Amino acid sequence: MDDVVTIEEALSTRAQKEQAQEAGLPMYASRVKVHPKEIGGTFRRLKWAVLIALLAIYYVVPWIRWDRGPDAPDQAVLADIVNGRIYFFFIEIWPQELYYLTGLLILGAVGLFLVTSLAGRVWCGYTCPQTVWTDLFMWVERLIEGDRNARIRLDKAPMGAAKFAKRSLKHAVWLVIAAATGGAWIMYFNDAPTVVRNIFTGQASTAVYFFTGLFTATTYLLAGWAREQVCTYMCPWPRFQAAMFDEDTLIVTYEGWRGEPRGRHKKGQAAEALGDCVDCNLCVAVCPTGIDIRDGQQLECIGCALCIDACNSVMAKVGRPLNLITYDTERNQEARAAAAPVPKYRLVRPRTVLYSLLLLVVAGVMLWSLAFRATLDINVLHDRNPLFVTLSDGGIRNGYTIKILNKTLEDRSYLLGIEGLTAPSLSVVGQEGEGAGAAILEADADSVASYRIYLRLPREVVTDDTLTFYFTLTDPDSGEVARNETVFRGPKP
Amino acid sequence: MPTKIEKDSISGQETTGHEWDGIKELNTPLPRWWLYTFYACIAFSLVYVILYPAIPSFSSHTPGVLGYNSRVELEGQLAEARARQAESWDAIAAAELSEIRSNADNLTFALAGGAAAFADNCAPCHGQGGAGRPGFPVLADDAWIWGGSLDDIHITLLHGIRNGGDEARDSEMPAYADILEPEQIEAVADYVLSLSGAEHDGTSAAAGQEVYAENCAACHGDAGEGLRELGGPRLNDQIWLYGGSRDEIVSQIRQPRLGVMPGWQERLDASTIKMLTVYVHSLGGGEE
């Protein structure tokens, strides 16, 4: 019975809405629920592999340890909001350096542009969290409620004991997965072993419970209930991803030139009158967003390629050439339709070159700035009240608060100096004596040290009400120097 | 009430039975979720009225079953904050002034508390950060009329200046308009200017030197170095409380302005005054 093709009574959600409108129902059409059918094949296997790999990364990463010495957390990947640090293996980011995160987002965006212009919406179809978790939730649904037809029947059935049991079990499992998802997200912001223990012993902070609950709720709602609506209505990406496509982009395509006219082959009928498409609607039945790929490229298509698996399984049975639905470029399709030689796939195109260059530049800048990242910084706040003080000998004194950012993991002592002032004399509150423009300041490992500094100048060198100069901070061990421009204020001349 | 609910033939929707000029109103009820939210709000408000202060009367309001009240809550929070600080307050009360400065915890607490108390009580005259203003001494500079050590500042703070109190710091410069001739006053002003190296009339200053020695040196010192015991300000520096121009100096000699400062021990507790002392001392001019 291998060559029997099941005909699915599947209609795309669009067709169902159109039918409803033709029947004279109001303009507004509510969501048509999608019941994707299970399908096996190359792309399904690929999607499972990607799903398992991504979930593994998501759940395992917070547990990786990374020794940073006694004063820093030993979690390899951690966004420590309370202490204002982001750790990524050997990289440590201070709040002032959040631009690394911006760089990462830019890399992500440009990478997405590049991949999309090469191979369409592979991000949407395989790796987007919405896709991964929806796939996982659908798998659970299928295990409990059965495949497409069983689920449609269950939907229509009145609520009874069996339906109630199945539904409850499904939602319970969904909630457990959602809670595990939300709980794992929290681990990226807290020490994983500690927070897990605290969550289960009831000792975690309100914030931890709140955010776990929040992400549990969003996972449950987005992957369980909203599903393809997230991609179609909530996500901005499908709206403008077409701008990355061109005639050389690999997209999921129905080969209309050989599929049409579609029709159901009947025994004894001349097959020549019909195209390769047997109109079994299996491609519609398996589609997680409920579209008919034979309508052409459309916004709702996330490029998951499950329709390719579906169509190939049928083509194999009816003995027609495979890949009636296939990954192909528009240029190739035009050539194939005209029975012309298929041009070579063009990887190098202005847009891919541009995206690659952008990617290289941004990555290069980030690497460069990371490699030469300053481990020392100085911030200077000039006193505003009083702006300056006239001393009894006529000299002028200004006060400053100096903050030293020691980004190394060891205690350091630095040399504070002054550039651009004549005859300064400098005193540090809490230190004995007055230096002639230099002082030794200490800062603990991985922290900010704050000092009050008084700087005085003889009256005759204060020639203007604002003198611009630099504080310099030198690390005698590494020779690293941080400078900060500030002002010395005096009376109007 | 219409007995039979009529349906609109075009939209298939029910009508309310209201009709104007042949136009029938469609019955579009509020969405279910909106209604339930509305009912939930009503239920919530009823519970709230019972539990919390709600209905006003002429002079008060219903107290609510829980006895909650935002003022009581604030008082509780303030008491809690005070209890958390108790240890630090006790440490300040027990410590000598110099001990407050040498202990890092005490110093941090005293500087924060001193800054707050300063802003409330002292800044109106002495300016934020002790910046001073004409007639009100700068506290951040190194010139002190009554002394700038911790103990000196503490005594000034406790008893104040020229406020009539028994222990208040007191000094009174006479009005020389009644004692000296106008030319003598002009001359002594020139001499005072010469003490700090300011621009002055040489001949007039020479004439003023004698007048100064007879009338001023007792309090302001032979060379204008001041005398803190008597509160005689230093005249040979660049700090002028009432202005350093010749006219301003003449005016101050003729009819002196004498600033008054209240004694704070009647207004503030001992620990706050200690913290203020340490804070003022830290502004940049503190002496050992």
Side-chain angles (χ1 to χ4, degrees):
Chain A
M1 294 289 283
D2 247 16
D3 55 346
V4 172
V5 172
T6 331
I7 305 299
E8 291 286 339
E9 292 305 322
L11 273 181
S12 69
T13 54
R14 177 175 305 185
Q16 291 182 54
K17 285 181 186 174
E18 278 167 7
Q19 275 188 359
Q21 269 186 31
E22 276 159 21
L25 289 177
M27 297 285 280
Y28 173 78
S30 30
R31 178 198 182 201
V32 178
K33 196 173 172 190
V34 183
H35 297 93
K37 186 179 166 64
E38 184 177 18
I39 190 75
T42 321
F43 292 104
R44 182 63 265 182
R45 279 196 297 278
L46 180 61
K47 267 170 74 76
W48 284 133
V50 171
L51 180 144
I52 290 165
L54 290 176
L55 288 179
I57 292 173
Y58 179 68
Y59 285 106
V60 168
V61 162
W63 298 92
I64 303 174
R65 301 289 105 182
W66 190 270
D67 186 28
R68 294 188 183 85
D71 299 325
D74 64 347
Q75 185 160 322
V77 178
L78 175 68
D80 189 347
I81 304 290
V82 178
N83 298 311
R85 298 281 186 280
I86 295 178
Y87 300 98
F88 185 83
F89 294 94
F90 56 92
I91 302 172
E92 181 190 335
I93 306 280
W94 285 42
Q96 298 88 326
E97 298 167 315
L98 216 58
Y99 48 76
Y100 284 116
L101 208 61
T102 313
L104 221 54
L105 291 175
I106 294 174
L107 277 186
V110 179
L112 200 53
F113 295 168
L114 178 62
V115 168
T116 304
S117 70
L118 287 175
R121 292 172 65 178
V122 285
W123 162 263
C124 302
Y126 298 86
T127 50
C128 174
Q130 175 64 23
T131 294
V132 170
W133 263 272
T134 302
D135 240 9
L136 187 63
F137 274 47
M138 282 180 179
W139 177 70
V140 169
E141 191 174 58
R142 202 172 288 136
L143 280 186
I144 295 170
E145 295 184 349
D147 204 3
R148 175 178 161 86
N149 293 334
R151 292 207 304 277
I152 294 176
R153 274 198 305 277
L154 189 69
D155 260 12
K156 285 186 182 147
M159 184 57 82
K163 181 172 177 176
F164 184 77
K166 280 182 176 175
R167 282 282 145 96
S168 312
L169 180 61
K170 177 179 81 173
H171 287 289
V173 176
W174 278 0
L175 277 170
V176 168
I177 298 174
T181 309
W185 187 242
I186 286 298
M187 294 179 209
Y188 285 86
F189 297 87
N190 294 276
D191 184 54
T194 318
V195 80
V196 167
R197 196 170 53 243
N198 287 350
I199 284 177
F200 287 109
T201 54
Q203 291 171 329
S205 66
T206 320
V208 165
Y209 286 119
F210 171 78
F211 281 106
T212 310
L214 181 69
F215 295 122
T216 302
T218 49
T219 310
Y220 172 71
L221 291 175
L222 295 183
W225 293 87
R227 295 193 172 172
E228 83 285 350
Q229 298 174 98
V230 174
C231 312
T232 313
Y233 303 114
M234 289 165 69
C235 180
W237 179 231
R239 306 275 153 181
F240 65 88
Q241 41 93 19
M244 277 92 220
F245 287 2
D246 57 23
E247 56 275 26
D248 293 304
T249 302
L250 279 174
I251 47 175
V252 177
T253 319
Y254 164 64
E255 300 192 318
W257 53 272
R258 70 175 170 110
E260 301 297 323
R262 66 186 76 161
R264 295 178 184 175
H265 295 238
K266 298 228 170 72
K267 279 224 163 89
Q269 197 180 14
E272 286 70 31
L274 292 171
D276 285 347
C277 176
V278 296
D279 203 13
C280 65
N281 285 330
L282 192 59
C283 54
V284 180
V286 300
C287 179
T289 65
I291 60 165
D292 187 342
I293 191 66
R294 294 170 298 175
D295 295 343
Q297 177 67 17
Q298 49 207 294
L299 183 145
E300 292 91 338
C301 176
I302 58 170
C304 68
L306 290 181
C307 49
I308 303 183
D309 281 346
C311 193
N312 280 349
S313 72
V314 172
M315 289 297 108
K317 282 178 195 164
V318 300
R320 292 276 165 181
L322 293 185
N323 295 326
L324 179 61
I325 302 173
T326 179
Y327 265 117
D328 206 355
T329 69
E330 202 184 312
R331 194 189 295 278
N332 285 3
Q333 280 297 309
E334 275 171 20
R336 287 185 217 276
V342 175
K344 209 170 152 238
Y345 178 54
R346 286 173 63 210
L347 268 180
V348 181
R349 300 169 344 233
R351 94 171 48 233
T352 58
V353 171
L354 179 73
Y355 292 147
S356 308
L357 275 179
L358 263 176
L359 211 55
L360 279 177
V361 168
V362 178
V365 167
M366 278 183 65
L367 273 179
W368 182 84
S369 71
L370 259 180
F372 297 97
R373 171 177 179 263
T375 56
L376 164 67
D377 203 359
I378 174 175
N379 291 330
V380 178
L381 292 165
H382 183 267
D383 278 6
R384 294 213 222 163
N385 238 327
L387 266 183
F388 63 89
V389 173
T390 306
L391 299 173
S392 51
D393 64 357
I396 306 294
R397 195 191 67 210
N398 277 210
Y400 303 87
T401 302
I402 287 191
K403 289 187 192 295
I404 299 174
L405 283 64
N406 177 9
K407 297 179 190 170
T408 66
L409 292 177
E410 50 203 62
D411 299 352
R412 288 282 169 93
S413 75
Y414 303 100
L415 186 67
L416 179 73
I418 286 160
E419 259 179 40
L421 286 181
T422 322
S425 79
L426 186 151
S427 63
V428 182
V429 173
Q431 287 185 11
E432 293 292 319
E434 199 166 60
I440 305 273
L441 302 179
E442 284 165 359
D444 290 343
D446 194 39
S447 60
V448 180
S450 182
Y451 287 95
R452 285 278 299 150
I453 305 280
Y454 286 124
L455 185 60
R456 54 191 285 177
L457 292 180
R459 181 71 185 87
E460 56 273 17
V461 306
V462 186
T463 48
D464 198 359
D465 61 348
T466 305
L467 302 174
T468 305
F469 73 102
Y470 293 92
F471 275 112
T472 61
L473 196 65
T474 313
D475 183 343
D477 298 331
S478 66
E480 192 175 344
V481 181
R483 300 165 93 230
N484 192 299
E485 189 185 270
T486 183
V487 290
F488 190 93
R489 305 296 297 265
K492 287 208 187 311
Chain B
M1 279 290 280
T3 47
K4 179 173 162 280
I5 294 172
E6 198 180 340
K7 281 205 173 180
D8 178 56
S9 57
I10 298 168
S11 63
Q13 215 173 333
E14 291 172 1
T15 68
T16 59
H18 304 157
E19 186 178 340
W20 292 273
D21 298 340
I23 300 171
K24 286 174 185 160
E25 186 187 24
L26 296 183
N27 183 15
T28 312
L30 288 164
R32 208 64 76 67
W33 68 265
W34 193 96
L35 272 179
Y36 288 143
T37 312
F38 179 59
Y39 296 147
C41 290
I42 294 175
F44 175 84
S45 67
L46 288 177
V47 174
Y48 187 94
V49 163
I50 295 165
L51 293 184
Y52 289 95
I55 303 168
S57 59
F58 285 106
S59 59
S60 179
H61 53 77
T62 53
V65 173
L66 292 182
Y68 171 88
N69 169 338
S70 54
R71 204 168 290 179
V72 170
E73 190 187 21
L74 175 69
E75 274 166 18
Q77 286 170 349
L78 285 177
E80 200 182 302
R82 269 189 226 107
R84 269 206 304 275
Q85 290 181 338
E87 203 178 314
S88 303
W89 281 99
D90 291 346
I92 297 286
E96 297 287 323
L97 288 169
S98 58
E99 289 168 357
I100 296 177
R101 215 156 70 91
S102 57
N103 176 307
D105 288 342
N106 283 349
L107 182 63
T108 310
F109 188 76
L111 288 182
F118 189 90
D120 283 349
N121 298 289
C122 317
C125 291
H126 288 289
Q128 286 288 350
R133 61 191 75 204
F136 299 98
V138 179
L139 300 179
D141 64 15
D142 58 348
W144 297 94
I145 299 170
W146 300 99
S149 69
L150 281 171
D151 288 331
D152 289 338
I153 296 172
H154 194 223
I155 289 170
T156 308
L157 269 164
L158 283 173
H159 305 295
I161 299 165
R162 294 188 203 98
N163 54 25
D166 290 341
E167 290 175 84
R169 301 217 187 250
D170 211 342
S171 70
E172 191 167 352
M173 176 167 166
Y176 282 94
D178 307 332
I179 302 170
L180 297 175
E181 295 304 317
E183 306 80 62
Q184 289 179 301
I185 291 177
E186 301 279 330
V188 88
D190 270 316
Y191 179 69
V192 165
L193 281 170
S194 78
L195 288 176
S196 57
E199 236 174 84
H200 61 279
D201 182 332
T203 22
S204 172
Q209 184 167 11
E210 200 182 327
V211 185
Y212 179 88
E214 281 173 15
N215 296 283
C216 316
C219 290
H220 290 289
D222 290 336
E225 71 274 16
L227 191 62
R228 284 183 179 174
E229 289 76 12
L230 297 176
R234 201 177 146 187
L235 299 178
N236 63 358
D237 63 9
Q238 305 295 327
I239 311 280
W240 299 96
L241 181 53
Y242 297 107
S245 72
R246 194 169 179 283
D247 286 348
E248 284 164 331
I249 292 174
V250 166
S251 152
Q252 181 67 10
I253 298 171
R254 287 175 49 81
Q255 200 65 54
R257 288 193 278 166
L258 301 165
V260 173
M261 169 170 157
W264 290 96
Q265 65 176 353
E266 293 138 32
R267 308 190 186 194
L268 300 174
D269 62 88
S271 295
T272 305
I273 293 182
K274 277 183 174 175
M275 296 199 287
L276 272 173
T277 305
V278 173
Y279 174 73
V280 169
H281 189 267
S282 79
L283 289 175
E287 296 171 348
E288 292 309 314

